[in-house]
Amino acid sequence: MTARICGRANGDLFRRKVGAAVVAVRRAGGIPTFDAINHFFLISQMIVPGSSYWNIGVGGAKGDVEKDEEGLKTMDDLARTWLGY
């Protein structure tokens, strides 16, 4: 919320900037977190690129997210959408 207030007080600082929520989770809670971050981006008038699925990586221990093939594919798709190729 502080970022929102500061951004608004400084002439809508985040307006027309590109932002993408990316969440790493152990098990659950990824969707509400992803949703909350996107709410901040949208209320701040930001551009939010999409992907092929929710931008969430799953892993139990440090480095496990790097083994999440679906999560990595989603991030790759997000990068391609963001960059336009």
Side-chain angles (χ1 to χ4, degrees):
M1 188 63 170
T2 302
R4 169 71 182 129
I5 293 168
C6 290
R8 185 69 181 236
N10 288 288
D12 288 318
L13 188 63
F14 302 112
R15 185 175 184 207
R16 293 190 216 127
K17 304 294 188 292
V18 181
V22 174
V23 179
V25 296
R26 185 172 149 234
R27 275 191 293 220
I31 299 297
T33 303
F34 177 78
D35 188 45
I37 295 168
N38 279 318
H39 277 116
F40 166 77
F41 288 161
L42 294 171
I43 198 74
S44 298
Q45 304 175 56
M46 293 178 70
I47 300 163
V48 181
S51 187
S52 56
Y53 200 61
W54 310 118
N55 305 334
I56 297 172
V58 180
K62 184 177 180 179
D64 281 356
V65 173
E66 296 171 7
K67 300 172 195 164
D68 177 10
E69 291 182 22
E70 184 179 30
L72 292 174
K73 165 113 175 49
T74 301
M75 300 309 151
D76 186 61
D77 292 342
L78 173 64
R80 291 176 186 280
T81 300
W82 194 322
L83 299 174
Y85 68 93

